[in-house]
Amino acid sequence: MTTANVSVEPAPARGLSSAVRDRLQQLLAFASLIVIAGFFSIASSSFFSYSNITSILFSTVVIGTLALGTTFVIITGGIDLSIGTGMALCAVMSGVFIVNLDLPVGLGVLAAILFGGLIGLVNGFNVAIMKIPPFIATLAMMLVAQGLALVISHSAPIYFTDDPSYVKISTGNLIPGVDFPNAVLVLLVAVVVSAILLSKTILGRYTYSIGSNEEATALSGINVRTWKIVIYTLAGLFIGLAGVMISARLGSAQPATGMGYELQAIAAVVIGGTSLAGGKGSIVGTLIGALIISVLNNGLQIMSIPQEWQNVILGIVILVAVYADMIRKKEA
Amino acid sequence: MTDYLLEVEGVSKGFPGVQALDDMHLNLRHHEVLALVGENGAGKSTLMKLLTGIYEPDAGRFRLNGSPLAVSGPKEALETGISVIHQEFNLMPHLTVAQNIFIGREPRSGGFLLSERALNQRATALVERLGLPLKVTQLVGNLTVAKQQMVEIAKALSYDAKVLIMDEPTAALNDAEVQTLHDLIRRFTRPDTGVIYISHRMDELKQISDRVTVIRDGQYVETLDTATTTMKEVISLMVGRTITGEAEPEGVRDDREVILSVEGLSTKELLTDVSFDLHHGEILGFAGLMGAGRTEVARALVGADKVDSGVVRLRGKEVKLRHPADAAKHRIGYLSEDRKQLGLLLQQDVSANIALTSLSERFTRLGFVDIKAVRAKAQETVRALGIKTPSVRQTTKFLSGGNQQKVVIAKWLVKNCDILIFDEPTRGIDVGAKEEIYALLNDLAQQGKSIIMISSELPEVLRMAHRILVMTEGRVSGILSQSEATQENVMHYATLRPDESVEDAVELGLLPEAALAGGSSESSPGSSEGEVGQR
């Protein structure tokens, strides 16, 4: 019967090896990043300079941090719309802890990050236990967070004027003698931590597993509900971190900001090759996605293209990225 | 050691409106394969869910090796030694073979971190011990259905299973793969283990099982020794009535006019120079191994897939079918293999499904859907086809598999299709419902519809088709008339591969019938035919 068995095998894919094909979207994203950056370096001499590149990295921090946590959620097949306004709420809470309650900066930062975790925990509870579809559950949380941020801050920014060390979290230079903002270091640490979580731990394995086939994961004896809560809470911790980073950068907690960040973060995740259908995605991809958005914004600004057009171009980039992914899937 | 490995004693389970199991009994001996048969809805899946702790029984109990068995969920069931392979695969397509096998039990280095190397080593050791041709680092989503099945088995056996329960394990396998599976099962059964084998394929039960337990409507009917029982007996116990056995194709004639003629159909992916004629009122069977390209021919024909070259003539006139909508306009209906995903709107009611394809031409007034006309027509069709549903407003997903299939057929009948392509029309349907689908197909052919029937079940093709087109590796390797169509002949052509006997294949590809009648025996690929022939 071996002969018949062999004939059942599909013909081996021509050309690309399967490992390369699986990584193709990432490679594509990386190649686009290089092409876009190359284009801007030719179009503008000031683009490819140390100060501009640090400034691109610096502007990637907030979107990047949000996108990291969202990557986990999206790989499970979920979505988190509350990250933008949730971030604003965490910024406000950071202000409340540090300015109003006069906690030490370190403690206040920790509390703000944990508060983000609380937002994620509630999202996770609603999604996993109450079985509310993630889109609805986090849409509701988006509104709740936006409202709470305004209520708690009395619709006024909270300034960290008396805590200069808070601002240092973002703009200070930890590495002596080098002009390299701390915020970028924070982002890099967050990238490394989330990359390890996603690819090397059971948390990551179950994240993929749930997104790939939730029912099968449950039948394999894995407590899908618990893990979903853990994953949304993790995304919440990143919301908290982003809240700290944005308020440290601005030197103030702006309660009315935040709306719109969630879409940019989701865009970064999608450009990076993570499938909204779940089961597939990577941290490296997300980082590249976030960088593409920053490079685009920065380069277009240098070329004095108005903000309005930047959004049009970003929209087109998303379409192209997703379309490229679909073509890849068809070929695979 | 007790008499029985697993005992089910008077187990009952009710759901709102249905008594799924009523005083069920079942005994699995050590070292045996027990076949469990029953029509869809007889209670097999409920029984399995009770055994694995997904549901709790209302009454009765289970015993494993004489001691009471009550597990709280799938994981505990696995750890107690009860492994279930569900009909719908429970695999994560985005994970590798090894990751799937050991999901939930990943080897770790230091608590939270995974040890991928240990994982792959363990998986390789397991796969080698079982003698499965699997590469553990491959993504499961890239595997064939047969290999995914093997992953399921490896996963089930990795938990030192005592009782292995398989639900329709061969539903998507071809005959060769079924043999491999049966070999595995035979190797698994030892003095301390046993298998419960659920299947609709009667011929398989004969091959693999020691005893057959029949259940009907949630109740135990009887247990028989396979060796001394005919399958006809089993079937009549199952459906509670006698079914006429060995049926033959009806209304075979060779003077029918050609209605559809396909010439040189090729696609970039698979198909090479596929040519055939379809006659008026004929049932043309498509046979071949999994992946031979039967479904692909249908999809290319109706324009669902891109065609590289080829000519399609409808009643002598050349037509270009670029999209299934073109095909529907020319009254060619394709009833997909996967009716749940591609053929039905499961969330919609029966009438919406029936009217879907002909909504714009028959049931619309000024752009509004004429809901009354839709319901009336749906009611008429439901009656004509004997679809069992409380009303045409019933949501389709609550119908049984056989009735869902009839809804798909109804949809294309309302469209007044002349040519109907049925892809695996009886997959996942129980024996009783199968008979009804067969009768329906014969009726349709008699009314002058031309039918292409794609099926992986050879006996089904043999009993239904007026002629059989056999495919292998994207080519037509033979077209057999009804008198030539035997299991051996079909399998011969289905396993004919170009790299084994190039001349033979080219010759057969060009002149299949003449070649069969002539001297094909002298150059027939002996090895594969010989092995297949024994079956």
Side-chain angles (χ1 to χ4, degrees), chain B residues 40-62:
Chain B
N40 285 347
K44 292 168 298 186
S45 351
T46 310
L47 185 62
M48 276 191 301
K49 286 188 173 150
L50 288 168
L51 267 170
T52 50
I54 297 171
Y55 299 151
E56 264 182 57
D58 298 337
R61 57 184 173 167
F62 300 101

mmCIF file with all atom_site columns, all heavy atoms in Angstrom, chain B residues 40-62:
data_model
loop_
_atom_site.group_PDB
_atom_site.id
_atom_site.type_symbol
_atom_site.label_atom_id
_atom_site.label_alt_id
_atom_site.label_comp_id
_atom_site.label_asym_id
_atom_site.label_entity_id
_atom_site.label_seq_id
_atom_site.pdbx_PDB_ins_code
_atom_site.Cartn_x
_atom_site.Cartn_y
_atom_site.Cartn_z
_atom_site.occupancy
_atom_site.B_iso_or_equiv
_atom_site.pdbx_formal_charge
_atom_site.auth_seq_id
_atom_site.auth_comp_id
_atom_site.auth_asym_id
_atom_site.auth_atom_id
_atom_site.pdbx_PDB_model_num
ATOM 1   N N   . ASN B 1 40 ? -27.239 9.097  12.349 1.00 0.00 ? 40 ASN B N   1
ATOM 2   C CA  . ASN B 1 40 ? -26.945 10.409 12.944 1.00 0.00 ? 40 ASN B CA  1
ATOM 3   C C   . ASN B 1 40 ? -28.038 10.738 13.945 1.00 0.00 ? 40 ASN B C   1
ATOM 4   O O   . ASN B 1 40 ? -29.211 10.535 13.685 1.00 0.00 ? 40 ASN B O   1
ATOM 5   C CB  . ASN B 1 40 ? -26.918 11.495 11.867 1.00 0.00 ? 40 ASN B CB  1
ATOM 6   C CG  . ASN B 1 40 ? -25.650 11.423 11.049 1.00 0.00 ? 40 ASN B CG  1
ATOM 7   O OD1 . ASN B 1 40 ? -24.708 10.745 11.419 1.00 0.00 ? 40 ASN B OD1 1
ATOM 8   N ND2 . ASN B 1 40 ? -25.643 12.122 9.940  1.00 0.00 ? 40 ASN B ND2 1
ATOM 9   N N   . GLY B 1 41 ? -27.642 11.243 15.086 1.00 0.00 ? 41 GLY B N   1
ATOM 10  C CA  . GLY B 1 41 ? -28.634 11.572 16.096 1.00 0.00 ? 41 GLY B CA  1
ATOM 11  C C   . GLY B 1 41 ? -28.989 10.394 16.976 1.00 0.00 ? 41 GLY B C   1
ATOM 12  O O   . GLY B 1 41 ? -29.876 10.488 17.817 1.00 0.00 ? 41 GLY B O   1
ATOM 13  N N   . ALA B 1 42 ? -28.305 9.266  16.802 1.00 0.00 ? 42 ALA B N   1
ATOM 14  C CA  . ALA B 1 42 ? -28.614 8.102  17.626 1.00 0.00 ? 42 ALA B CA  1
ATOM 15  C C   . ALA B 1 42 ? -28.032 8.251  19.033 1.00 0.00 ? 42 ALA B C   1
ATOM 16  O O   . ALA B 1 42 ? -28.420 7.534  19.939 1.00 0.00 ? 42 ALA B O   1
ATOM 17  C CB  . ALA B 1 42 ? -28.083 6.833  16.977 1.00 0.00 ? 42 ALA B CB  1
ATOM 18  N N   . GLY B 1 43 ? -27.104 9.162  19.205 1.00 0.00 ? 43 GLY B N   1
ATOM 19  C CA  . GLY B 1 43 ? -26.565 9.420  20.539 1.00 0.00 ? 43 GLY B CA  1
ATOM 20  C C   . GLY B 1 43 ? -25.092 9.128  20.701 1.00 0.00 ? 43 GLY B C   1
ATOM 21  O O   . GLY B 1 43 ? -24.570 9.140  21.808 1.00 0.00 ? 43 GLY B O   1
ATOM 22  N N   . LYS B 1 44 ? -24.401 8.875  19.573 1.00 0.00 ? 44 LYS B N   1
ATOM 23  C CA  . LYS B 1 44 ? -22.997 8.505  19.670 1.00 0.00 ? 44 LYS B CA  1
ATOM 24  C C   . LYS B 1 44 ? -22.143 9.650  20.216 1.00 0.00 ? 44 LYS B C   1
ATOM 25  O O   . LYS B 1 44 ? -21.315 9.451  21.108 1.00 0.00 ? 44 LYS B O   1
ATOM 26  C CB  . LYS B 1 44 ? -22.470 8.101  18.280 1.00 0.00 ? 44 LYS B CB  1
ATOM 27  C CG  . LYS B 1 44 ? -23.063 6.807  17.766 1.00 0.00 ? 44 LYS B CG  1
ATOM 28  C CD  . LYS B 1 44 ? -22.752 6.621  16.308 1.00 0.00 ? 44 LYS B CD  1
ATOM 29  C CE  . LYS B 1 44 ? -23.367 7.754  15.506 1.00 0.00 ? 44 LYS B CE  1
ATOM 30  N NZ  . LYS B 1 44 ? -23.251 7.595  14.063 1.00 0.00 ? 44 LYS B NZ  1
ATOM 31  N N   . SER B 1 45 ? -22.361 10.845 19.671 1.00 0.00 ? 45 SER B N   1
ATOM 32  C CA  . SER B 1 45 ? -21.506 11.954 20.129 1.00 0.00 ? 45 SER B CA  1
ATOM 33  C C   . SER B 1 45 ? -21.807 12.313 21.575 1.00 0.00 ? 45 SER B C   1
ATOM 34  O O   . SER B 1 45 ? -20.901 12.676 22.325 1.00 0.00 ? 45 SER B O   1
ATOM 35  C CB  . SER B 1 45 ? -21.668 13.194 19.269 1.00 0.00 ? 45 SER B CB  1
ATOM 36  O OG  . SER B 1 45 ? -22.417 12.951 18.143 1.00 0.00 ? 45 SER B OG  1
ATOM 37  N N   . THR B 1 46 ? -23.064 12.200 21.964 1.00 0.00 ? 46 THR B N   1
ATOM 38  C CA  . THR B 1 46 ? -23.403 12.483 23.356 1.00 0.00 ? 46 THR B CA  1
ATOM 39  C C   . THR B 1 46 ? -22.679 11.514 24.280 1.00 0.00 ? 46 THR B C   1
ATOM 40  O O   . THR B 1 46 ? -22.111 11.905 25.305 1.00 0.00 ? 46 THR B O   1
ATOM 41  C CB  . THR B 1 46 ? -24.925 12.366 23.577 1.00 0.00 ? 46 THR B CB  1
ATOM 42  O OG1 . THR B 1 46 ? -25.577 13.134 22.584 1.00 0.00 ? 46 THR B OG1 1
ATOM 43  C CG2 . THR B 1 46 ? -25.322 12.858 24.942 1.00 0.00 ? 46 THR B CG2 1
ATOM 44  N N   . LEU B 1 47 ? -22.652 10.259 23.872 1.00 0.00 ? 47 LEU B N   1
ATOM 45  C CA  . LEU B 1 47 ? -21.987 9.242  24.677 1.00 0.00 ? 47 LEU B CA  1
ATOM 46  C C   . LEU B 1 47 ? -20.507 9.589  24.856 1.00 0.00 ? 47 LEU B C   1
ATOM 47  O O   . LEU B 1 47 ? -19.947 9.492  25.950 1.00 0.00 ? 47 LEU B O   1
ATOM 48  C CB  . LEU B 1 47 ? -22.139 7.878  23.997 1.00 0.00 ? 47 LEU B CB  1
ATOM 49  C CG  . LEU B 1 47 ? -21.597 6.676  24.770 1.00 0.00 ? 47 LEU B CG  1
ATOM 50  C CD1 . LEU B 1 47 ? -22.330 6.518  26.087 1.00 0.00 ? 47 LEU B CD1 1
ATOM 51  C CD2 . LEU B 1 47 ? -21.715 5.406  23.942 1.00 0.00 ? 47 LEU B CD2 1
ATOM 52  N N   . MET B 1 48 ? -19.899 10.035 23.760 1.00 0.00 ? 48 MET B N   1
ATOM 53  C CA  . MET B 1 48 ? -18.490 10.377 23.851 1.00 0.00 ? 48 MET B CA  1
ATOM 54  C C   . MET B 1 48 ? -18.249 11.580 24.743 1.00 0.00 ? 48 MET B C   1
ATOM 55  O O   . MET B 1 48 ? -17.277 11.650 25.477 1.00 0.00 ? 48 MET B O   1
ATOM 56  C CB  . MET B 1 48 ? -17.955 10.675 22.461 1.00 0.00 ? 48 MET B CB  1
ATOM 57  C CG  . MET B 1 48 ? -17.558 9.405  21.770 1.00 0.00 ? 48 MET B CG  1
ATOM 58  S SD  . MET B 1 48 ? -16.662 9.807  20.324 1.00 0.00 ? 48 MET B SD  1
ATOM 59  C CE  . MET B 1 48 ? -17.881 10.761 19.487 1.00 0.00 ? 48 MET B CE  1
ATOM 60  N N   . LYS B 1 49 ? -19.169 12.536 24.642 1.00 0.00 ? 49 LYS B N   1
ATOM 61  C CA  . LYS B 1 49 ? -18.999 13.733 25.470 1.00 0.00 ? 49 LYS B CA  1
ATOM 62  C C   . LYS B 1 49 ? -19.198 13.403 26.940 1.00 0.00 ? 49 LYS B C   1
ATOM 63  O O   . LYS B 1 49 ? -18.579 14.025 27.803 1.00 0.00 ? 49 LYS B O   1
ATOM 64  C CB  . LYS B 1 49 ? -19.956 14.828 25.005 1.00 0.00 ? 49 LYS B CB  1
ATOM 65  C CG  . LYS B 1 49 ? -19.482 15.431 23.691 1.00 0.00 ? 49 LYS B CG  1
ATOM 66  C CD  . LYS B 1 49 ? -20.263 16.640 23.271 1.00 0.00 ? 49 LYS B CD  1
ATOM 67  C CE  . LYS B 1 49 ? -19.617 17.263 22.050 1.00 0.00 ? 49 LYS B CE  1
ATOM 68  N NZ  . LYS B 1 49 ? -20.576 17.942 21.193 1.00 0.00 ? 49 LYS B NZ  1
ATOM 69  N N   . LEU B 1 50 ? -20.039 12.428 27.221 1.00 0.00 ? 50 LEU B N   1
ATOM 70  C CA  . LEU B 1 50 ? -20.208 12.000 28.607 1.00 0.00 ? 50 LEU B CA  1
ATOM 71  C C   . LEU B 1 50 ? -18.939 11.304 29.096 1.00 0.00 ? 50 LEU B C   1
ATOM 72  O O   . LEU B 1 50 ? -18.475 11.536 30.198 1.00 0.00 ? 50 LEU B O   1
ATOM 73  C CB  . LEU B 1 50 ? -21.399 11.053 28.719 1.00 0.00 ? 50 LEU B CB  1
ATOM 74  C CG  . LEU B 1 50 ? -22.772 11.707 28.560 1.00 0.00 ? 50 LEU B CG  1
ATOM 75  C CD1 . LEU B 1 50 ? -23.845 10.643 28.390 1.00 0.00 ? 50 LEU B CD1 1
ATOM 76  C CD2 . LEU B 1 50 ? -23.091 12.574 29.761 1.00 0.00 ? 50 LEU B CD2 1
ATOM 77  N N   . LEU B 1 51 ? -18.387 10.466 28.237 1.00 0.00 ? 51 LEU B N   1
ATOM 78  C CA  . LEU B 1 51 ? -17.189 9.713  28.611 1.00 0.00 ? 51 LEU B CA  1
ATOM 79  C C   . LEU B 1 51 ? -16.004 10.643 28.892 1.00 0.00 ? 51 LEU B C   1
ATOM 80  O O   . LEU B 1 51 ? -15.153 10.348 29.720 1.00 0.00 ? 51 LEU B O   1
ATOM 81  C CB  . LEU B 1 51 ? -16.812 8.752  27.489 1.00 0.00 ? 51 LEU B CB  1
ATOM 82  C CG  . LEU B 1 51 ? -17.372 7.347  27.605 1.00 0.00 ? 51 LEU B CG  1
ATOM 83  C CD1 . LEU B 1 51 ? -17.136 6.582  26.328 1.00 0.00 ? 51 LEU B CD1 1
ATOM 84  C CD2 . LEU B 1 51 ? -16.739 6.625  28.788 1.00 0.00 ? 51 LEU B CD2 1
ATOM 85  N N   . THR B 1 52 ? -15.939 11.752 28.181 1.00 0.00 ? 52 THR B N   1
ATOM 86  C CA  . THR B 1 52 ? -14.805 12.650 28.361 1.00 0.00 ? 52 THR B CA  1
ATOM 87  C C   . THR B 1 52 ? -15.124 13.790 29.317 1.00 0.00 ? 52 THR B C   1
ATOM 88  O O   . THR B 1 52 ? -14.352 14.730 29.439 1.00 0.00 ? 52 THR B O   1
ATOM 89  C CB  . THR B 1 52 ? -14.355 13.231 27.016 1.00 0.00 ? 52 THR B CB  1
ATOM 90  O OG1 . THR B 1 52 ? -15.495 13.744 26.336 1.00 0.00 ? 52 THR B OG1 1
ATOM 91  C CG2 . THR B 1 52 ? -13.704 12.183 26.161 1.00 0.00 ? 52 THR B CG2 1
ATOM 92  N N   . GLY B 1 53 ? -16.275 13.703 29.963 1.00 0.00 ? 53 GLY B N   1
ATOM 93  C CA  . GLY B 1 53 ? -16.555 14.668 31.015 1.00 0.00 ? 53 GLY B CA  1
ATOM 94  C C   . GLY B 1 53 ? -17.025 16.026 30.541 1.00 0.00 ? 53 GLY B C   1
ATOM 95  O O   . GLY B 1 53 ? -17.087 16.972 31.319 1.00 0.00 ? 53 GLY B O   1
ATOM 96  N N   . ILE B 1 54 ? -17.333 16.142 29.256 1.00 0.00 ? 54 ILE B N   1
ATOM 97  C CA  . ILE B 1 54 ? -17.839 17.438 28.774 1.00 0.00 ? 54 ILE B CA  1
ATOM 98  C C   . ILE B 1 54 ? -19.270 17.626 29.275 1.00 0.00 ? 54 ILE B C   1
ATOM 99  O O   . ILE B 1 54 ? -19.674 18.717 29.641 1.00 0.00 ? 54 ILE B O   1
ATOM 100 C CB  . ILE B 1 54 ? -17.750 17.517 27.237 1.00 0.00 ? 54 ILE B CB  1
ATOM 101 C CG1 . ILE B 1 54 ? -16.288 17.444 26.808 1.00 0.00 ? 54 ILE B CG1 1
ATOM 102 C CG2 . ILE B 1 54 ? -18.389 18.800 26.711 1.00 0.00 ? 54 ILE B CG2 1
ATOM 103 C CD1 . ILE B 1 54 ? -16.069 17.290 25.325 1.00 0.00 ? 54 ILE B CD1 1
ATOM 104 N N   . TYR B 1 55 ? -20.048 16.534 29.279 1.00 0.00 ? 55 TYR B N   1
ATOM 105 C CA  . TYR B 1 55 ? -21.379 16.548 29.896 1.00 0.00 ? 55 TYR B CA  1
ATOM 106 C C   . TYR B 1 55 ? -21.359 15.636 31.116 1.00 0.00 ? 55 TYR B C   1
ATOM 107 O O   . TYR B 1 55 ? -20.510 14.760 31.229 1.00 0.00 ? 55 TYR B O   1
ATOM 108 C CB  . TYR B 1 55 ? -22.452 16.010 28.947 1.00 0.00 ? 55 TYR B CB  1
ATOM 109 C CG  . TYR B 1 55 ? -22.651 16.745 27.664 1.00 0.00 ? 55 TYR B CG  1
ATOM 110 C CD1 . TYR B 1 55 ? -23.112 16.081 26.533 1.00 0.00 ? 55 TYR B CD1 1
ATOM 111 C CD2 . TYR B 1 55 ? -22.393 18.117 27.572 1.00 0.00 ? 55 TYR B CD2 1
ATOM 112 C CE1 . TYR B 1 55 ? -23.299 16.754 25.341 1.00 0.00 ? 55 TYR B CE1 1
ATOM 113 C CE2 . TYR B 1 55 ? -22.586 18.784 26.380 1.00 0.00 ? 55 TYR B CE2 1
ATOM 114 C CZ  . TYR B 1 55 ? -23.035 18.101 25.269 1.00 0.00 ? 55 TYR B CZ  1
ATOM 115 O OH  . TYR B 1 55 ? -23.234 18.751 24.098 1.00 0.00 ? 55 TYR B OH  1
ATOM 116 N N   . GLU B 1 56 ? -22.366 15.839 31.967 1.00 0.00 ? 56 GLU B N   1
ATOM 117 C CA  . GLU B 1 56 ? -22.542 14.909 33.075 1.00 0.00 ? 56 GLU B CA  1
ATOM 118 C C   . GLU B 1 56 ? -23.810 14.102 32.841 1.00 0.00 ? 56 GLU B C   1
ATOM 119 O O   . GLU B 1 56 ? -24.830 14.658 32.434 1.00 0.00 ? 56 GLU B O   1
ATOM 120 C CB  . GLU B 1 56 ? -22.681 15.682 34.393 1.00 0.00 ? 56 GLU B CB  1
ATOM 121 C CG  . GLU B 1 56 ? -21.376 15.809 35.135 1.00 0.00 ? 56 GLU B CG  1
ATOM 122 C CD  . GLU B 1 56 ? -21.578 16.536 36.448 1.00 0.00 ? 56 GLU B CD  1
ATOM 123 O OE1 . GLU B 1 56 ? -22.400 16.064 37.262 1.00 0.00 ? 56 GLU B OE1 1
ATOM 124 O OE2 . GLU B 1 56 ? -20.935 17.576 36.627 1.00 0.00 ? 56 GLU B OE2 1
ATOM 125 N N   . PRO B 1 57 ? -23.773 12.804 33.092 1.00 0.00 ? 57 PRO B N   1
ATOM 126 C CA  . PRO B 1 57 ? -24.980 12.002 32.847 1.00 0.00 ? 57 PRO B CA  1
ATOM 127 C C   . PRO B 1 57 ? -26.086 12.313 33.861 1.00 0.00 ? 57 PRO B C   1
ATOM 128 O O   . PRO B 1 57 ? -25.808 12.672 35.000 1.00 0.00 ? 57 PRO B O   1
ATOM 129 C CB  . PRO B 1 57 ? -24.480 10.558 33.003 1.00 0.00 ? 57 PRO B CB  1
ATOM 130 C CG  . PRO B 1 57 ? -23.243 10.649 33.819 1.00 0.00 ? 57 PRO B CG  1
ATOM 131 C CD  . PRO B 1 57 ? -22.641 11.987 33.555 1.00 0.00 ? 57 PRO B CD  1
ATOM 132 N N   . ASP B 1 58 ? -27.342 12.205 33.395 1.00 0.00 ? 58 ASP B N   1
ATOM 133 C CA  . ASP B 1 58 ? -28.479 12.387 34.309 1.00 0.00 ? 58 ASP B CA  1
ATOM 134 C C   . ASP B 1 58 ? -28.619 11.157 35.199 1.00 0.00 ? 58 ASP B C   1
ATOM 135 O O   . ASP B 1 58 ? -29.031 11.247 36.343 1.00 0.00 ? 58 ASP B O   1
ATOM 136 C CB  . ASP B 1 58 ? -29.781 12.582 33.521 1.00 0.00 ? 58 ASP B CB  1
ATOM 137 C CG  . ASP B 1 58 ? -29.717 13.830 32.648 1.00 0.00 ? 58 ASP B CG  1
ATOM 138 O OD1 . ASP B 1 58 ? -28.908 14.710 32.971 1.00 0.00 ? 58 ASP B OD1 1
ATOM 139 O OD2 . ASP B 1 58 ? -30.453 13.900 31.652 1.00 0.00 ? 58 ASP B OD2 1
ATOM 140 N N   . ALA B 1 59 ? -28.334 9.999  34.622 1.00 0.00 ? 59 ALA B N   1
ATOM 141 C CA  . ALA B 1 59 ? -28.431 8.750  35.380 1.00 0.00 ? 59 ALA B CA  1
ATOM 142 C C   . ALA B 1 59 ? -27.422 7.758  34.816 1.00 0.00 ? 59 ALA B C   1
ATOM 143 O O   . ALA B 1 59 ? -26.925 7.932  33.718 1.00 0.00 ? 59 ALA B O   1
ATOM 144 C CB  . ALA B 1 59 ? -29.851 8.178  35.258 1.00 0.00 ? 59 ALA B CB  1
ATOM 145 N N   . GLY B 1 60 ? -27.126 6.722  35.585 1.00 0.00 ? 60 GLY B N   1
ATOM 146 C CA  . GLY B 1 60 ? -26.216 5.678  35.128 1.00 0.00 ? 60 GLY B CA  1
ATOM 147 C C   . GLY B 1 60 ? -24.767 5.989  35.441 1.00 0.00 ? 60 GLY B C   1
ATOM 148 O O   . GLY B 1 60 ? -24.458 7.035  35.997 1.00 0.00 ? 60 GLY B O   1
ATOM 149 N N   . ARG B 1 61 ? -23.879 5.047  35.094 1.00 0.00 ? 61 ARG B N   1
ATOM 150 C CA  . ARG B 1 61 ? -22.471 5.277  35.379 1.00 0.00 ? 61 ARG B CA  1
ATOM 151 C C   . ARG B 1 61 ? -21.565 4.516  34.428 1.00 0.00 ? 61 ARG B C   1
ATOM 152 O O   . ARG B 1 61 ? -21.992 3.653  33.679 1.00 0.00 ? 61 ARG B O   1
ATOM 153 C CB  . ARG B 1 61 ? -22.165 4.896  36.820 1.00 0.00 ? 61 ARG B CB  1
ATOM 154 C CG  . ARG B 1 61 ? -22.534 3.471  37.100 1.00 0.00 ? 61 ARG B CG  1
ATOM 155 C CD  . ARG B 1 61 ? -22.317 3.171  38.550 1.00 0.00 ? 61 ARG B CD  1
ATOM 156 N NE  . ARG B 1 61 ? -22.822 1.856  38.843 1.00 0.00 ? 61 ARG B NE  1
ATOM 157 C CZ  . ARG B 1 61 ? -22.549 1.222  39.970 1.00 0.00 ? 61 ARG B CZ  1
ATOM 158 N NH1 . ARG B 1 61 ? -21.790 1.794  40.872 1.00 0.00 ? 61 ARG B NH1 1
ATOM 159 N NH2 . ARG B 1 61 ? -23.034 0.021  40.186 1.00 0.00 ? 61 ARG B NH2 1
ATOM 160 N N   . PHE B 1 62 ? -20.304 4.903  34.488 1.00 0.00 ? 62 PHE B N   1
ATOM 161 C CA  . PHE B 1 62 ? -19.272 4.280  33.668 1.00 0.00 ? 62 PHE B CA  1
ATOM 162 C C   . PHE B 1 62 ? -18.298 3.546  34.574 1.00 0.00 ? 62 PHE B C   1
ATOM 163 O O   . PHE B 1 62 ? -18.055 3.961  35.707 1.00 0.00 ? 62 PHE B O   1
ATOM 164 C CB  . PHE B 1 62 ? -18.499 5.344  32.888 1.00 0.00 ? 62 PHE B CB  1
ATOM 165 C CG  . PHE B 1 62 ? -19.356 6.166  31.969 1.00 0.00 ? 62 PHE B CG  1
ATOM 166 C CD1 . PHE B 1 62 ? -19.769 7.440  32.343 1.00 0.00 ? 62 PHE B CD1 1
ATOM 167 C CD2 . PHE B 1 62 ? -19.759 5.666  30.745 1.00 0.00 ? 62 PHE B CD2 1
ATOM 168 C CE1 . PHE B 1 62 ? -20.560 8.198  31.503 1.00 0.00 ? 62 PHE B CE1 1
ATOM 169 C CE2 . PHE B 1 62 ? -20.547 6.421  29.900 1.00 0.00 ? 62 PHE B CE2 1
ATOM 170 C CZ  . PHE B 1 62 ? -20.952 7.687  30.272 1.00 0.00 ? 62 PHE B CZ  1
#
